[in-house]
Amino acid sequence: MITLKIDAERVLHKVSPDLMGIFFEDINFGADGGLNANMISNYSFDGVYMTKDYQEVLDPLRYWTLDGGEAESLDEDPLGKNSRFVRIHTTEKARLENKGYNGGKEYADQCAIAIKNGHSYTFEAYIRGTLQVQAVVETEYGTLLTDRVEFTAADGEAAAGTWSHIKKTLQGEQDAYGKLALIFTGDGTIDLDCVQLYDSDFWGKNDPKWQNGKLRKDLVQALVDLKPQFMRFPGGCIVEGARSQNEYNWKETVGPLYDRKSTYNLWAEAMPDGGCSQSYQIGFYEYFCLCEDLGAKPQPTLFAGINCQFRSEEIIDIDSAEFDTYVTQNYLDLIEFANGDPEKSQWAKLRADMGHPAPFGLQRIGIGNENHGEDYIKKFDKIRAAIHERYPEILCIMSAGFQPYKEHTQPFWDYAKTLDHEILLDEHCYHSPAWFYESAYRFDNYDRNVGKAKLYFGEYAANNLSAPEGKVDAEHANSFGSALSEAAFLTGAERNGDFLLSVSYAPLLNLIGGTHWTHNMIDFNPGNVCLTANYMVQKLFGNFQA
Ligand code: AHR
């Protein structure tokens, strides 16, 4: 028998009010193919893929197949500022199909557009030309899963120059996975761009702020149930980019959807055909709106002028004009986009034009991800100083590398000690369940003699990655044992709220069949959500805080 004695009078520290957060990165098709309600893959005919040495290759019609007629990819007189579109030529009939996000690899041929009987689906597209169009979802073998809608360009609303915006509703008639078929009839051409098909019951459907990118309701509900106190986005390695030009630039993710330019997703490295891209239908506006709906503090992390130090390690020179006007300025402009006055700031005006005149209340910002080395410390200091000069109230978060061991993290704590400003240091750890059990006591004796700095444990999971003896594979992932060890770790996090302000688990989302990283918090497929044991631990700690 074990006797537990609880001394409720002896409170060591209060639990941090910002302890339990979530970290959303577009890995494992978490954004496109996941949280993004639009089920059409390569919806804007701007398809790309990635080569083994991280070069981007344009493949505009990727994930579309045409039967009859001819397809041409064009960029003259486009819909959006960055956008290619497809022109279909036919003399009689042509059929264009898209199977949705199936995760590629062994499922690459599968239909993945999830249709449910009784649900309504919104179909949207921009078209230009003379052909008649029919849209329908059907199975691989031609069984209809929805009714058909028919239209021509004359049925749409005039939009963006010579384009016509079509919006129709398809009724789901069966529960199954299908493909979208667009059937063109006539003798002539039709231009097509930004094709969307999403469950009309998307997250926030009655709130006018959700008029840009749309989110899948069941996945958002899973996040709501966690009661996250903050939300970090968009990475992770995605922030750094595999090499120059692939870093996450938030400015390319806001404004009308058709102006957002697709690029390859660094996690395409885990795909045999390099196929996984970022359409940015979930960009920084959608992120801030989601934080608001979750009641979570936004915690964006931006590029610090250093591409991923495990991949290419390309850098922007700290003394260059590009560093000031591109890297540092992006931080200042993001703060304006989130918090500024639309009368005074072009970025705040854009936020208002997109549907959110009120500020988003940004208080924290991460500078880089898993960056390390002297160049990074100097860059952090330059960016932080520029932020604090204009916005002294913003809490800046510094990367402390990728391993939480003293030999890795000491230079960051040494730097932090010299500052007269509070910052957070972001430590990460992916290790064995044994490490997480032991680490239940890790923070009790942490060196608190670090000036005004405090700790953020920004990525962790008992997935065995750094454990010499452990295996990172599907068989060992998301076990009850791993979840229990993560819970033990969190008891230590709760107990040290004076110093450890926040923790966030990683990664958050995983499309079953499209996995890039083993052991994630929430598994899903196009039609269902599957919560892991590790999710249940996060939910427990998020919902019940002492
Ligand atoms: O969570 C997956 C990856 O792990 C993140 O992108 C990166 O920061 C870390 O190495």
Side-chain angles (χ1 to χ4, degrees):
M1 193 176 82
I2 296 175
T3 309
L4 272 183
K5 282 194 184 159
I6 296 173
D7 183 352
E9 297 306 306
R10 209 175 139 248
V11 176
L12 290 179
H13 307 290
K14 288 209 165 123
V15 176
S16 164
D18 299 318
L19 184 63
M20 297 298 293
I22 52 175
F23 163 40
F24 174 44
E25 175 170 24
D26 186 7
I27 181 172
N28 312 307
F29 296 89
D32 288 339
L35 208 50
N36 179 5
N38 182 12
M39 296 184 278
I40 305 302
S41 184
N42 185 19
Y43 88 119
S44 65
F45 304 97
D46 293 306
V48 289
Y49 67 91
M50 190 193 85
T51 62
K52 288 289 165 217
D53 57 347
Y54 302 112
Q55 302 289 347
E56 177 169 285
V57 183
L58 192 65
D59 184 11
L61 301 186
R62 206 172 172 84
Y63 308 122
W64 293 93
T65 50
L66 182 73
D67 188 15
E70 278 175 21
E72 229 186 327
S73 163
L74 298 168
D75 61 0
E76 292 139 27
D77 196 8
L79 172 64
K81 64 180 178 200
N82 287 311
S83 180
R84 300 188 74 83
F85 60 91
V86 66
R87 176 165 297 165
I88 307 288
H89 301 256
T90 180
T91 51
E92 216 173 309
K93 200 168 201 166
R95 163 185 270 262
L96 188 65
E97 292 182 351
N98 189 291
K99 292 181 173 174
Y101 291 96
N102 48 30
K105 299 186 266 193
E106 68 262 46
Y107 297 105
D109 292 331
Q110 304 284 313
C111 289
I113 294 187
I115 298 297
K116 291 184 179 155
N117 186 17
H119 281 224
S120 300
Y121 297 88
T122 307
F123 169 85
E124 290 192 56
Y126 290 85
I127 63 173
R128 178 171 62 187
T130 54
L131 300 179
Q132 290 267 350
V133 192
Q134 271 184 24
V136 65
V137 181
E138 55 187 54
T139 65
E140 185 61 40
Y141 306 106
T143 306
L144 301 190
L145 298 180
T146 64
D147 60 349
R148 288 169 196 261
V149 288
E150 294 193 4
F151 52 89
T152 65
D155 299 322
E157 269 186 29
T162 49
W163 291 85
S164 168
H165 180 218
I166 302 290
K167 193 168 182 180
K168 300 275 178 197
T169 304
L170 294 173
Q171 293 301 335
E173 293 174 347
Q174 284 194 49
D175 289 3
Y177 297 97
K179 58 188 173 183
L180 173 71
L182 297 172
I183 301 136
F184 307 102
T185 45
D187 183 1
T189 66
I190 194 154
D191 297 343
L192 186 66
D193 206 350
C194 291
V195 180
Q196 297 191 60
L197 183 73
Y198 53 87
D199 194 319
S200 309
D201 190 17
F202 59 90
W203 176 260
K205 66 173 181 219
N206 296 322
D207 184 337
K209 79 181 179 203
W210 285 106
Q211 61 189 255
N212 302 282
K214 315 271 188 303
L215 307 188
R216 202 174 129 174
K217 197 173 170 184
D218 55 354
L219 279 174
V220 177
Q221 189 57 51
L223 304 184
V224 170
D225 295 344
L226 288 170
K227 293 216 169 110
Q229 289 157 319
F230 67 94
M231 180 173 176
R232 172 172 164 224
F233 172 81
C237 298
I238 289 253
V239 164
E240 306 156 87
R243 59 186 308 167
S244 171
Q245 307 292 309
N246 181 236
E247 64 273 3
Y248 197 101
N249 179 358
W250 74 268
K251 289 179 178 169
E252 288 176 356
T253 74
V254 291
L257 291 182
Y258 53 67
D259 278 343
R260 306 183 193 178
K261 183 174 182 285
S262 295
T263 180
Y264 72 82
N265 181 319
L266 152 158
W267 294 107
E269 68 186 10
M271 305 295 291
D273 64 354
C276 177
S277 56
Q278 308 178 79
S279 72
Y280 300 124
Q281 290 167 80
I282 303 179
F284 259 79
Y285 174 83
E286 290 74 21
Y287 159 61
F288 282 121
C289 288
L290 177 59
C291 289
E292 182 171 83
D293 289 1
L294 294 173
K297 285 184 179 168
Q299 188 185 297
T301 302
L302 298 189
F303 173 60
I306 305 173
N307 295 118
C308 182
Q309 288 167 275
F310 303 109
R311 293 179 172 93
S312 68
E313 206 173 358
E314 290 175 327
I315 59 158
I316 296 177
D317 185 345
I318 190 171
D319 294 320
S320 65
E322 190 186 3
F323 189 83
D324 297 337
T325 57
Y326 175 56
V327 180
T328 307
Q329 195 60 41
N330 269 7
Y331 287 82
L332 304 177
D333 292 341
L334 182 69
I335 296 170
E336 283 302 316
F337 179 77
N339 294 352
D341 177 349
E343 301 287 318
K344 296 186 185 145
S345 147
Q346 71 167 109
W347 293 108
K349 180 170 181 316
L350 177 61
R351 180 192 75 228
D353 291 346
M354 291 182 75
H356 203 287
F360 284 120
L362 177 65
Q363 299 170 0
R364 306 168 146 206
I365 199 161
I367 300 176
N369 173 69
E370 290 193 348
N371 293 128
H372 44 276
E374 270 176 40
D375 181 47
Y376 169 64
I377 294 180
K378 285 187 193 139
K379 283 175 169 160
F380 173 87
D381 193 57
K382 192 170 186 189
I383 297 165
R384 179 207 63 76
I387 293 174
H388 283 156
E389 192 185 327
R390 284 176 59 178
Y391 312 101
E393 69 287 0
I394 295 279
L395 179 60
C396 292
I397 302 175
M398 180 181 208
S399 158
F402 58 99
Q403 297 276 28
Y405 308 125
K406 241 185 150 73
E407 64 269 28
H408 292 274
T409 61
Q410 198 56 48
F412 306 106
W413 290 111
D414 289 345
Y415 160 80
K417 243 188 230 181
T418 66
L419 288 180
D420 194 28
H421 231 106
E422 178 175 329
I423 61 165
L424 293 186
L425 257 69
D426 176 9
E427 295 192 354
H428 294 177
C429 192
Y430 297 96
H431 216 295
S432 59
W435 188 92
F436 279 92
Y437 280 121
E438 275 168 32
S439 298
Y441 305 101
R442 176 182 175 88
F443 305 111
D444 297 345
N445 302 311
Y446 237 63
D447 181 5
R448 279 152 164 84
N449 180 24
V450 285
K452 294 187 172 169
K454 300 228 159 105
L455 180 62
Y456 163 47
F457 218 81
E459 290 184 32
Y460 68 95
N463 75 342
N464 283 323
L465 188 69
S466 302
E469 75 283 10
K471 287 212 172 101
V472 187
D473 57 26
E475 200 188 322
H476 294 84
N478 296 111
S479 62
F480 283 109
S482 70
L484 204 56
S485 73
E486 289 159 3
F489 172 78
L490 286 173
T491 60
E494 282 196 335
R495 206 168 48 244
N496 286 278
D498 63 316
F499 182 66
L500 172 56
L501 298 199
S502 298
V503 298
S504 47
Y505 193 83
L508 182 64
L509 296 174
N510 171 49
L511 170 65
I512 297 166
T515 303
H516 301 139
W517 178 281
T518 305
H519 188 109
N520 303 285
M521 202 208 293
I522 300 172
D523 291 327
F524 63 90
N525 75 2
N528 298 287
V529 176
C530 176
L531 304 172
T532 64
N534 312 74
Y535 171 93
M536 294 305 171
V537 166
Q538 295 292 317
K539 185 174 167 190
L540 192 68
F541 279 80
N543 280 263
F544 302 99
Q545 286 193 6

